[in-house]
Amino acid sequence: MSREHDNLTAIHAAYRAFHDRDLAALLATMDPGIEWVHPDGLAEYGLGGTKIGHQGVREFLGRVPTVLGGMRLEPQEFVQSGDRVVVFGVRAVTSLSGHTETLPFIHSWTFRDGRAVRMEDVFDTVAFARLIDS
């Protein structure tokens, strides 16, 4: 099996685990020292910046329900180059007040030995913050 195939298999497993809310399966796709990166523009909500390791991912994911009513990711396109997989998609994000919007995202994943060592989430932080505040 090629390295790119291993990485794509891990990516699909990660999104499936996120969809199923299976934290153990999600973390199994990640290196214990993963860098989990989100735009600094969401720092005031506790969602911005870089979290390190499985504990950082757990803390981040534990924070999300305190500022959002729900989120569903829909990856649409996967682009591979060596140890990098870039995912283009949309997410249905629901505010605590029940308002839902569909917002685009780009996830840039970096792999080493078949596990994610970095995930960077790129999106419109202004639209996201507006939804959180609605």
Side-chain angles (χ1 to χ4, degrees):
M1 196 173 334
S2 73
R3 184 175 70 214
E4 281 85 8
H5 180 75
D6 288 345
N7 294 345
L8 194 56
T9 298
I11 279 286
H12 285 291
Y15 286 105
R16 187 170 42 258
F18 186 83
H19 178 269
D20 294 343
R21 302 296 189 248
D22 185 342
L23 183 58
L26 178 63
L27 293 176
T29 68
M30 299 175 186
D31 183 85
I34 187 165
E35 295 176 3
W36 187 256
V37 184
H38 289 80
D40 289 336
L42 292 182
E44 71 179 279
Y45 304 101
L47 300 178
T50 300
K51 311 299 188 256
I52 303 295
H54 288 180
Q55 186 58 36
V57 173
R58 278 189 201 92
E59 289 169 6
F60 175 88
L61 293 175
R63 176 75 179 138
V64 171
T66 69
V67 296
L68 290 173
M71 182 183 321
R72 189 179 72 248
L73 298 176
E74 296 178 24
Q76 299 174 324
E77 183 180 356
F78 301 83
V79 179
Q80 299 179 75
S81 179
D83 287 330
R84 172 78 51 96
V85 178
V86 178
V87 181
F88 297 86
V90 295
R91 63 179 131 217
V93 182
T94 303
S95 69
L96 291 175
S97 68
H99 177 74
T100 300
E101 288 190 29
T102 301
L103 304 172
F105 70 81
I106 300 168
H107 289 163
S108 175
W109 295 82
T110 304
F111 286 84
R112 185 173 52 241
D113 300 324
R115 295 176 88 186
V117 294
R118 181 178 173 89
M119 191 290 298
E120 184 171 359
D121 194 355
V122 179
F123 57 92
D124 182 344
T125 58
V126 173
F128 207 90
R130 191 177 310 127
L131 181 60
I132 289 172
D133 293 335
S134 69

